[in-house]
Amino acid sequence: MKSRRAFVKSTSAGVGIFSLSSMLNGQANQKVEKKKVVCVGGHPDDPESGCGGTLAALSKKGHSVTVIYLTTGEAGIEGKTHAEAAAIRKQEALNACAALKAKPIFAGQIDGDTIVDNAWLGKIQKLIYDEKPDVVFTHWPLDTHKDHQAASLLTIQSWVRAQNKFSLYFFEVCAGEQTMTFHPTDYVDITETQDLKRKAVFCHTSQDPPGIYNCGHAAMEEFRGRELGVKAAEAFICMNGRKQSSFANSYL
């Protein structure tokens, strides 16, 4: 059995090489080194509402962005069968990813019936590793929604097992209602991409986009912006708990 010392050493190696700060900020004439970004969400609309502004900002900087949806939202439309809902929500996700200039991948789990086991860990690992990511975003594991927890745990274990370590960040959704006890280590100024994030969220017409914002997202963007000293921001927790460079003077 691997000792705790060996475990910490193996899971820390290479972490934090690519911070959000280094990917988003640079001199005006500085050539951007393109990186690979992956976001793993429980359902269509989760990545968009949780970190859509950041994904849009990274895409605008020339980085390659992929969104992996653990489920296709099969249980998310009242009065529709799973197949009918999945077809609707898949198209909404495709539209949202087009707005964010991101590549969508649908992992194939079922909304409301997600599984965390070795077989699914292997599948999610492969989907993530095939992208060769430098940075990965996913749900905070203390979210109240079990599908969010499943997406987070599968991503965390993929990070633990990765030989080529990527930086792992957790995002928040519906703070206080779904995401609990979230104390950010990092912030991203989304002032310039806030409208693009909103456009992506509003692609999910079956999910009552105004309701998504009323769930607290508008307030979250404003509050995190106030913490950072900008108009609007998104907040994250870095997996290794090490606070990256401040975003107080960040400009996309």
Side-chain angles (χ1 to χ4, degrees), residues 7-248:
F7 174 81
V8 171
K9 182 178 180 180
S10 67
T11 56
S12 298
V15 173
I17 295 174
F18 302 112
S19 70
L20 294 179
S21 177
S22 66
M23 295 175 69
L24 285 167
N25 307 307
Q27 300 302 319
N29 298 322
Q30 182 180 357
K31 185 177 179 180
V32 175
E33 183 181 355
K34 293 184 179 181
K35 303 297 181 185
K36 295 293 294 291
V37 179
V38 170
C39 180
V40 182
H43 319 91
D45 80 38
D46 286 329
E48 296 86 338
S49 59
C51 60
T54 298
L55 296 180
L58 289 165
S59 181
K60 286 181 67 174
K61 278 291 185 178
H63 303 296
S64 174
V65 178
T66 296
V67 176
I68 299 174
Y69 298 101
L70 184 64
T71 78
T72 317
E74 291 81 357
I77 305 179
E78 188 175 353
K80 299 290 185 183
T81 66
H82 275 198
E84 291 170 337
I88 293 169
R89 298 197 67 185
K90 183 175 183 178
Q91 186 58 57
E92 292 174 348
L94 293 173
N95 296 341
C97 283
L100 296 175
K101 292 182 170 55
K103 178 177 77 173
I105 293 176
F106 299 90
Q109 288 218 34
I110 303 301
D111 181 10
D113 195 24
T114 49
I115 300 168
V116 178
D117 63 11
N118 288 337
W120 268 104
L121 175 56
K123 293 177 184 179
I124 298 302
Q125 276 183 253
K126 186 176 188 310
L127 290 177
I128 293 174
Y129 295 174
D130 282 352
E131 296 299 311
K132 298 179 174 59
D134 299 298
V135 174
V136 174
F137 298 96
T138 194
H139 292 276
W140 179 232
L142 298 186
D143 272 20
T144 57
H145 199 304
K146 66 186 184 67
D147 292 347
H148 295 185
Q149 293 177 6
S152 184
L153 292 174
L154 290 167
T155 306
I156 291 170
Q157 286 302 312
S158 296
W159 178 86
V160 168
R161 288 162 170 73
Q163 290 186 345
N164 298 316
K165 279 291 184 283
F166 46 82
S167 297
L168 179 58
Y169 292 91
F170 302 103
F171 58 78
E172 56 182 342
V173 291
C174 292
E177 182 175 329
Q178 292 187 354
T179 300
M180 314 296 285
T181 63
F182 194 85
H183 302 291
T185 61
D186 295 81
Y187 297 81
V188 171
D189 180 356
I190 64 164
T191 302
E192 298 300 322
T193 55
Q194 189 178 24
D195 289 342
L196 191 52
K197 171 184 179 176
R198 188 176 184 88
K199 179 180 178 181
V201 171
F202 270 73
C203 286
H204 298 277
T205 55
S206 71
Q207 300 306 295
D208 180 25
I212 293 175
Y213 273 90
N214 289 337
C215 182
H217 285 280
M220 288 160 59
E221 291 172 16
E222 180 183 3
F223 178 70
R224 296 309 186 191
R226 286 177 179 270
E227 289 185 312
L228 186 57
V230 298
K231 178 177 177 288
E234 290 172 338
F236 302 91
I237 292 177
C238 184
M239 175 64 187
N240 68 347
R242 192 181 310 151
K243 190 169 185 178
Q244 304 290 353
S245 57
S246 172
F247 287 87

